mmCIF file with all atom_site columns, all heavy atoms in Angstrom:
data_model
loop_
_atom_site.group_PDB
_atom_site.id
_atom_site.type_symbol
_atom_site.label_atom_id
_atom_site.label_alt_id
_atom_site.label_comp_id
_atom_site.label_asym_id
_atom_site.label_entity_id
_atom_site.label_seq_id
_atom_site.pdbx_PDB_ins_code
_atom_site.Cartn_x
_atom_site.Cartn_y
_atom_site.Cartn_z
_atom_site.occupancy
_atom_site.B_iso_or_equiv
_atom_site.pdbx_formal_charge
_atom_site.auth_seq_id
_atom_site.auth_comp_id
_atom_site.auth_asym_id
_atom_site.auth_atom_id
_atom_site.pdbx_PDB_model_num
ATOM 1   N N   . ALA E 1 150 ? -7.994  2.600  -27.345 1.00 97.00 ? 161 ALA E N   1
ATOM 2   C CA  . ALA E 1 150 ? -6.524  2.664  -27.274 1.00 97.00 ? 161 ALA E CA  1
ATOM 3   C C   . ALA E 1 150 ? -6.105  3.518  -26.080 1.00 97.00 ? 161 ALA E C   1
ATOM 4   O O   . ALA E 1 150 ? -5.155  3.199  -25.352 1.00 97.00 ? 161 ALA E O   1
ATOM 5   C CB  . ALA E 1 150 ? -5.963  3.247  -28.567 1.00 97.00 ? 161 ALA E CB  1
ATOM 6   N N   . LEU E 1 151 ? -6.829  4.608  -25.875 1.00 97.00 ? 162 LEU E N   1
ATOM 7   C CA  . LEU E 1 151 ? -6.528  5.497  -24.741 1.00 97.00 ? 162 LEU E CA  1
ATOM 8   C C   . LEU E 1 151 ? -6.534  4.716  -23.429 1.00 97.00 ? 162 LEU E C   1
ATOM 9   O O   . LEU E 1 151 ? -5.563  4.747  -22.665 1.00 97.00 ? 162 LEU E O   1
ATOM 10  C CB  . LEU E 1 151 ? -7.578  6.626  -24.700 1.00 97.00 ? 162 LEU E CB  1
ATOM 11  C CG  . LEU E 1 151 ? -7.725  7.433  -23.413 1.00 97.00 ? 162 LEU E CG  1
ATOM 12  C CD1 . LEU E 1 151 ? -6.505  8.291  -23.168 1.00 97.00 ? 162 LEU E CD1 1
ATOM 13  C CD2 . LEU E 1 151 ? -8.960  8.333  -23.458 1.00 97.00 ? 162 LEU E CD2 1
ATOM 14  N N   . TYR E 1 152 ? -7.639  3.978  -23.179 1.00 98.00 ? 163 TYR E N   1
ATOM 15  C CA  . TYR E 1 152 ? -7.736  3.306  -21.882 1.00 98.00 ? 163 TYR E CA  1
ATOM 16  C C   . TYR E 1 152 ? -6.911  2.036  -21.810 1.00 98.00 ? 163 TYR E C   1
ATOM 17  O O   . TYR E 1 152 ? -6.453  1.657  -20.727 1.00 98.00 ? 163 TYR E O   1
ATOM 18  C CB  . TYR E 1 152 ? -9.210  3.064  -21.537 1.00 98.00 ? 163 TYR E CB  1
ATOM 19  C CG  . TYR E 1 152 ? -9.872  4.383  -21.205 1.00 98.00 ? 163 TYR E CG  1
ATOM 20  C CD1 . TYR E 1 152 ? -10.778 4.984  -22.073 1.00 98.00 ? 163 TYR E CD1 1
ATOM 21  C CD2 . TYR E 1 152 ? -9.517  5.074  -20.046 1.00 98.00 ? 163 TYR E CD2 1
ATOM 22  C CE1 . TYR E 1 152 ? -11.342 6.218  -21.782 1.00 98.00 ? 163 TYR E CE1 1
ATOM 23  C CE2 . TYR E 1 152 ? -10.071 6.309  -19.748 1.00 98.00 ? 163 TYR E CE2 1
ATOM 24  C CZ  . TYR E 1 152 ? -10.984 6.879  -20.614 1.00 98.00 ? 163 TYR E CZ  1
ATOM 25  O OH  . TYR E 1 152 ? -11.508 8.100  -20.318 1.00 98.00 ? 163 TYR E OH  1
ATOM 26  N N   . LEU E 1 153 ? -6.673  1.397  -22.950 1.00 98.00 ? 164 LEU E N   1
ATOM 27  C CA  . LEU E 1 153 ? -5.801  0.223  -22.938 1.00 98.00 ? 164 LEU E CA  1
ATOM 28  C C   . LEU E 1 153 ? -4.394  0.620  -22.509 1.00 98.00 ? 164 LEU E C   1
ATOM 29  O O   . LEU E 1 153 ? -3.799  -0.009 -21.637 1.00 98.00 ? 164 LEU E O   1
ATOM 30  C CB  . LEU E 1 153 ? -5.720  -0.371 -24.344 1.00 98.00 ? 164 LEU E CB  1
ATOM 31  C CG  . LEU E 1 153 ? -6.615  -1.548 -24.673 1.00 98.00 ? 164 LEU E CG  1
ATOM 32  C CD1 . LEU E 1 153 ? -6.401  -1.959 -26.116 1.00 98.00 ? 164 LEU E CD1 1
ATOM 33  C CD2 . LEU E 1 153 ? -6.319  -2.724 -23.741 1.00 98.00 ? 164 LEU E CD2 1
ATOM 34  N N   . VAL E 1 154 ? -3.888  1.702  -23.137 1.00 97.00 ? 165 VAL E N   1
ATOM 35  C CA  . VAL E 1 154 ? -2.521  2.119  -22.808 1.00 97.00 ? 165 VAL E CA  1
ATOM 36  C C   . VAL E 1 154 ? -2.445  2.559  -21.350 1.00 97.00 ? 165 VAL E C   1
ATOM 37  O O   . VAL E 1 154 ? -1.525  2.190  -20.622 1.00 97.00 ? 165 VAL E O   1
ATOM 38  C CB  . VAL E 1 154 ? -2.043  3.236  -23.762 1.00 97.00 ? 165 VAL E CB  1
ATOM 39  C CG1 . VAL E 1 154 ? -0.747  3.854  -23.259 1.00 97.00 ? 165 VAL E CG1 1
ATOM 40  C CG2 . VAL E 1 154 ? -1.840  2.664  -25.156 1.00 97.00 ? 165 VAL E CG2 1
ATOM 41  N N   . ARG E 1 155 ? -3.439  3.317  -20.908 1.00 96.00 ? 166 ARG E N   1
ATOM 42  C CA  . ARG E 1 155 ? -3.407  3.741  -19.505 1.00 96.00 ? 166 ARG E CA  1
ATOM 43  C C   . ARG E 1 155 ? -3.456  2.542  -18.552 1.00 96.00 ? 166 ARG E C   1
ATOM 44  O O   . ARG E 1 155 ? -2.801  2.531  -17.520 1.00 96.00 ? 166 ARG E O   1
ATOM 45  C CB  . ARG E 1 155 ? -4.570  4.679  -19.221 1.00 96.00 ? 166 ARG E CB  1
ATOM 46  C CG  . ARG E 1 155 ? -4.353  6.079  -19.790 1.00 96.00 ? 166 ARG E CG  1
ATOM 47  C CD  . ARG E 1 155 ? -5.417  6.960  -19.228 1.00 96.00 ? 166 ARG E CD  1
ATOM 48  N NE  . ARG E 1 155 ? -5.349  8.321  -19.704 1.00 96.00 ? 166 ARG E NE  1
ATOM 49  C CZ  . ARG E 1 155 ? -6.326  9.202  -19.471 1.00 96.00 ? 166 ARG E CZ  1
ATOM 50  N NH1 . ARG E 1 155 ? -7.388  8.856  -18.785 1.00 96.00 ? 166 ARG E NH1 1
ATOM 51  N NH2 . ARG E 1 155 ? -6.213  10.435 -19.912 1.00 96.00 ? 166 ARG E NH2 1
ATOM 52  N N   . THR E 1 156 ? -4.237  1.525  -18.909 1.00 97.00 ? 167 THR E N   1
ATOM 53  C CA  . THR E 1 156 ? -4.311  0.332  -18.053 1.00 97.00 ? 167 THR E CA  1
ATOM 54  C C   . THR E 1 156 ? -2.951  -0.368 -18.024 1.00 97.00 ? 167 THR E C   1
ATOM 55  O O   . THR E 1 156 ? -2.461  -0.763 -16.971 1.00 97.00 ? 167 THR E O   1
ATOM 56  C CB  . THR E 1 156 ? -5.389  -0.646 -18.590 1.00 97.00 ? 167 THR E CB  1
ATOM 57  O OG1 . THR E 1 156 ? -6.636  0.042  -18.604 1.00 97.00 ? 167 THR E OG1 1
ATOM 58  C CG2 . THR E 1 156 ? -5.500  -1.876 -17.723 1.00 97.00 ? 167 THR E CG2 1
ATOM 59  N N   . ILE E 1 157 ? -2.365  -0.494 -19.209 1.00 96.00 ? 168 ILE E N   1
ATOM 60  C CA  . ILE E 1 157 ? -1.103  -1.231 -19.317 1.00 96.00 ? 168 ILE E CA  1
ATOM 61  C C   . ILE E 1 157 ? 0.007   -0.571 -18.502 1.00 96.00 ? 168 ILE E C   1
ATOM 62  O O   . ILE E 1 157 ? 0.793   -1.233 -17.841 1.00 96.00 ? 168 ILE E O   1
ATOM 63  C CB  . ILE E 1 157 ? -0.713  -1.345 -20.810 1.00 96.00 ? 168 ILE E CB  1
ATOM 64  C CG1 . ILE E 1 157 ? -1.598  -2.380 -21.473 1.00 96.00 ? 168 ILE E CG1 1
ATOM 65  C CG2 . ILE E 1 157 ? 0.750   -1.726 -20.985 1.00 96.00 ? 168 ILE E CG2 1
ATOM 66  C CD1 . ILE E 1 157 ? -1.637  -2.253 -22.969 1.00 96.00 ? 168 ILE E CD1 1
ATOM 67  N N   . ILE E 1 158 ? 0.055   0.761  -18.511 1.00 93.00 ? 169 ILE E N   1
ATOM 68  C CA  . ILE E 1 158 ? 1.128   1.424  -17.753 1.00 93.00 ? 169 ILE E CA  1
ATOM 69  C C   . ILE E 1 158 ? 0.688   1.744  -16.315 1.00 93.00 ? 169 ILE E C   1
ATOM 70  O O   . ILE E 1 158 ? 1.417   2.386  -15.561 1.00 93.00 ? 169 ILE E O   1
ATOM 71  C CB  . ILE E 1 158 ? 1.665   2.705  -18.457 1.00 93.00 ? 169 ILE E CB  1
ATOM 72  C CG1 . ILE E 1 158 ? 0.547   3.736  -18.627 1.00 93.00 ? 169 ILE E CG1 1
ATOM 73  C CG2 . ILE E 1 158 ? 2.333   2.379  -19.781 1.00 93.00 ? 169 ILE E CG2 1
ATOM 74  C CD1 . ILE E 1 158 ? 1.053   5.098  -19.078 1.00 93.00 ? 169 ILE E CD1 1
ATOM 75  N N   . GLY E 1 159 ? -0.500  1.289  -15.950 1.00 90.00 ? 170 GLY E N   1
ATOM 76  C CA  . GLY E 1 159 ? -0.934  1.438  -14.556 1.00 90.00 ? 170 GLY E CA  1
ATOM 77  C C   . GLY E 1 159 ? -1.287  2.856  -14.164 1.00 90.00 ? 170 GLY E C   1
ATOM 78  O O   . GLY E 1 159 ? -0.964  3.295  -13.060 1.00 90.00 ? 170 GLY E O   1
ATOM 79  N N   . ASP E 1 160 ? -1.925  3.589  -15.070 1.00 88.00 ? 171 ASP E N   1
ATOM 80  C CA  . ASP E 1 160 ? -2.258  4.975  -14.751 1.00 88.00 ? 171 ASP E CA  1
ATOM 81  C C   . ASP E 1 160 ? -3.609  5.321  -15.388 1.00 88.00 ? 171 ASP E C   1
ATOM 82  O O   . ASP E 1 160 ? -3.682  6.087  -16.334 1.00 88.00 ? 171 ASP E O   1
ATOM 83  C CB  . ASP E 1 160 ? -1.145  5.886  -15.304 1.00 88.00 ? 171 ASP E CB  1
ATOM 84  C CG  . ASP E 1 160 ? -1.306  7.311  -14.815 1.00 88.00 ? 171 ASP E CG  1
ATOM 85  O OD1 . ASP E 1 160 ? -1.914  7.516  -13.755 1.00 88.00 ? 171 ASP E OD1 1
ATOM 86  O OD2 . ASP E 1 160 ? -0.803  8.223  -15.505 1.00 88.00 ? 171 ASP E OD2 1
ATOM 87  N N   . LEU E 1 161 ? -4.666  4.738  -14.833 1.00 92.00 ? 172 LEU E N   1
ATOM 88  C CA  . LEU E 1 161 ? -5.977  4.812  -15.468 1.00 92.00 ? 172 LEU E CA  1
ATOM 89  C C   . LEU E 1 161 ? -6.582  6.217  -15.455 1.00 92.00 ? 172 LEU E C   1
ATOM 90  O O   . LEU E 1 161 ? -7.340  6.595  -16.358 1.00 92.00 ? 172 LEU E O   1
ATOM 91  C CB  . LEU E 1 161 ? -6.908  3.807  -14.766 1.00 92.00 ? 172 LEU E CB  1
ATOM 92  C CG  . LEU E 1 161 ? -8.091  3.242  -15.515 1.00 92.00 ? 172 LEU E CG  1
ATOM 93  C CD1 . LEU E 1 161 ? -7.775  2.856  -16.938 1.00 92.00 ? 172 LEU E CD1 1
ATOM 94  C CD2 . LEU E 1 161 ? -8.622  2.033  -14.756 1.00 92.00 ? 172 LEU E CD2 1
ATOM 95  N N   . ARG E 1 162 ? -6.299  6.975  -14.449 1.00 90.00 ? 173 ARG E N   1
ATOM 96  C CA  . ARG E 1 162 ? -6.735  8.384  -14.331 1.00 90.00 ? 173 ARG E CA  1
ATOM 97  C C   . ARG E 1 162 ? -8.235  8.589  -14.488 1.00 90.00 ? 173 ARG E C   1
ATOM 98  O O   . ARG E 1 162 ? -8.667  9.501  -15.188 1.00 90.00 ? 173 ARG E O   1
ATOM 99  C CB  . ARG E 1 162 ? -6.049  9.269  -15.391 1.00 90.00 ? 173 ARG E CB  1
ATOM 100 C CG  . ARG E 1 162 ? -4.539  9.293  -15.304 1.00 90.00 ? 173 ARG E CG  1
ATOM 101 C CD  . ARG E 1 162 ? -4.007  10.403 -16.154 1.00 90.00 ? 173 ARG E CD  1
ATOM 102 N NE  . ARG E 1 162 ? -2.556  10.303 -16.272 1.00 90.00 ? 173 ARG E NE  1
ATOM 103 C CZ  . ARG E 1 162 ? -1.799  11.235 -16.810 1.00 90.00 ? 173 ARG E CZ  1
ATOM 104 N NH1 . ARG E 1 162 ? -2.330  12.336 -17.285 1.00 90.00 ? 173 ARG E NH1 1
ATOM 105 N NH2 . ARG E 1 162 ? -0.494  11.090 -16.882 1.00 90.00 ? 173 ARG E NH2 1
ATOM 106 N N   . ILE E 1 163 ? -9.049  7.738  -13.865 1.00 92.00 ? 174 ILE E N   1
ATOM 107 C CA  . ILE E 1 163 ? -10.482 8.017  -13.920 1.00 92.00 ? 174 ILE E CA  1
ATOM 108 C C   . ILE E 1 163 ? -11.012 8.353  -12.531 1.00 92.00 ? 174 ILE E C   1
ATOM 109 O O   . ILE E 1 163 ? -12.197 8.596  -12.350 1.00 92.00 ? 174 ILE E O   1
ATOM 110 C CB  . ILE E 1 163 ? -11.299 6.856  -14.536 1.00 92.00 ? 174 ILE E CB  1
ATOM 111 C CG1 . ILE E 1 163 ? -10.957 5.538  -13.833 1.00 92.00 ? 174 ILE E CG1 1
ATOM 112 C CG2 . ILE E 1 163 ? -11.073 6.749  -16.021 1.00 92.00 ? 174 ILE E CG2 1
ATOM 113 C CD1 . ILE E 1 163 ? -11.941 4.446  -14.169 1.00 92.00 ? 174 ILE E CD1 1
ATOM 114 N N   . GLY E 1 164 ? -10.106 8.346  -11.556 1.00 88.00 ? 175 GLY E N   1
ATOM 115 C CA  . GLY E 1 164 ? -10.482 8.773  -10.205 1.00 88.00 ? 175 GLY E CA  1
ATOM 116 C C   . GLY E 1 164 ? -11.432 7.825  -9.487  1.00 88.00 ? 175 GLY E C   1
ATOM 117 O O   . GLY E 1 164 ? -12.194 8.248  -8.642  1.00 88.00 ? 175 GLY E O   1
#
Side-chain angles (χ1 to χ4, degrees):
L162 163 69
Y163 289 108
L164 262 179
V165 169
R166 285 191 181 170
T167 301
I168 285 161
I169 61 170
D171 189 25
L172 205 43
R173 300 193 190 189
I174 52 167

